[in-house]
Amino acid sequence: MQRFLIVARMQPSSAAEVARLFGESDATDLPRIAGTVTRSLLRFHDLYFHYSEVEDSAEKTIQDIRRSEEFTRLNARLTEHITPYDPQTWRSPADAMAQEFYRWEAGRGIVSGE
């Protein structure tokens, strides 16, 4: 299992609509195709955070969903509300993923760090 966090910009007033769009999409086959175990959408002012845990790797997940019509439809609908954090470097969701540089787990201590 792998975790990933996508960071983007979102109009603060769009949170309810973005949640609705994901709710519709999550009722389709897309979460199964992506291997999604859990998803959380968070906001802080005009920042949008999409946290997911997937069964495989984030790279494989992105490969698998890019072929999905539902992903294309959802992505098109989200563009009205969400924009890349850095539009000059964004080509795919992979370009918006935060890089983990430290993780601690109960019972294990530091699991990863730079």
Side-chain angles (χ1 to χ4, degrees), residues 8-12 43-49 81 83 85:
R9 297 197 183 277
M10 180 180 73
Q11 301 169 14
R43 65 184 164 98
F44 180 74
H45 300 288
D46 69 336
L47 294 178
Y48 158 88
F49 303 93
H81 307 283
T83 57
Y85 182 81

Side-chain angles (χ1 to χ4, degrees), residues 41-59:
L41 304 177
L42 303 102
R43 65 184 164 98
F44 180 74
H45 300 288
D46 69 336
L47 294 178
Y48 158 88
F49 303 93
H50 177 159
Y51 175 82
S52 286
E53 291 181 352
V54 293
E55 293 172 346
D56 209 326
S57 69
E59 294 80 22

